[in-house]
Amino acid sequence: NVMIEEVDKIESITSELLFISKPLTDNRSEEKVTKMMQDVELLLQSQANQKDIQIQLQSSTEASILCDRSQIKQVLINLVKNAIEAMEQSGKIIVEAEEIEHKVKLSVVDEGCGLPEDTLHRLGEPFFTTKSSGTGLGLLITKKILTNHDADLHMFNNARKGSTFEIIFPKADDETGIDE
């Protein structure tokens, strides 16, 4: 069992290192953020159900962003999986999308243990992790993808409990030329 666990960990690190080392493709198109959120919810709902966690989608926008769909879905998967793993008890994870001026804000809000203040500045460093089975590469990959998409990532603790990971994307140009 120990050998199998260690081989799985090696495989995980190797695949994440390969992802980091290869240049990011630039297959961008206009994608609806709500649709990507729904895809990620569908992918991770069974993992959340195992811990009695609800993934709730909240979207007040039909905005699109110019992005590589698979890369942004990978970012959302990383953030929601981290949220699931951070929660010791049942609860909910809110994945929210809203428009702010000419930007689209995506937030992943969990009810976990929060981010340790003394390590907050180190999150995203290669191989730094607070999880016993983590590789410390998930947030590094996330940051690399977001930088490539001119998006900003903000991480902070919630007032009551848990943490929020917030991504700010430039909004895709409206094809119709009409501001809503």
Side-chain angles (χ1 to χ4, degrees):
N1 282 345
V2 172
M3 286 176 52
I4 290 170
E5 286 176 18
E6 292 305 313
V7 168
D8 287 345
K9 192 167 186 174
I10 290 168
E11 180 186 12
S12 176
I13 290 171
T14 304
S15 65
E16 289 178 335
L17 282 172
L18 286 170
F19 183 92
I20 291 168
S21 65
K22 70 180 179 184
L24 291 176
T25 58
D26 209 19
N27 302 327
R28 294 186 192 201
S29 56
E30 283 193 26
E31 300 289 343
K32 297 249 183 238
V33 291
T34 304
K35 176 67 176 117
M36 288 188 286
M37 289 165 53
Q38 291 166 343
D39 291 349
V40 170
E41 177 196 27
L42 192 63
L43 278 170
L44 296 177
Q45 191 61 62
S46 62
Q47 185 179 343
N49 288 344
Q50 290 174 355
K51 293 180 74 174
D52 196 22
I53 295 169
Q54 296 177 325
I55 300 174
Q56 294 181 352
L57 302 184
Q58 298 178 357
S59 181
S60 61
T61 180
E62 284 299 314
S64 295
I65 57 174
L66 187 61
C67 68
D68 183 316
R69 179 183 177 77
S70 65
Q71 289 178 11
I72 298 308
K73 278 177 58 176
Q74 182 64 52
V75 164
L76 288 172
I77 289 167
N78 286 351
L79 296 180
V80 174
K81 275 182 76 170
N82 283 351
I84 292 168
E85 292 168 6
M87 292 177 63
E88 303 285 322
Q89 302 169 355
S90 63
K92 66 181 176 216
I93 295 168
I94 298 171
V95 183
E96 182 179 20
E98 60 185 315
E99 270 181 73
I100 302 169
E101 295 175 12
H102 298 289
K103 299 195 181 293
V104 177
K105 180 171 82 170
L106 279 177
S107 304
V108 177
V109 183
D110 68 54
E111 295 178 338
C113 56
L115 303 164
E117 291 293 335
D118 57 334
T119 59
L120 191 58
H121 66 285
R122 295 198 58 203
L123 292 177
E125 283 181 17
F127 303 108
F128 177 78
T129 183
T130 58
K131 295 183 253 175
S132 60
S133 62
T135 62
L137 295 172
L139 274 179
L140 178 69
I141 290 169
T142 295
K143 285 182 168 187
K144 181 177 179 180
I145 291 170
L146 293 176
T147 298
N148 194 43
H149 282 80
D150 298 319
D152 295 318
L153 175 66
H154 305 283
M155 306 171 270
F156 51 88
N157 286 313
N158 302 332
R160 208 169 62 78
K161 73 175 182 176
S163 56
T164 297
F165 285 73
E166 189 178 85
I167 310 167
I168 313 285
F169 289 99
K171 185 178 162 191
D173 292 334
D174 188 356
E175 300 261 69
T176 62
I178 301 169
D179 278 337
E180 295 180 23

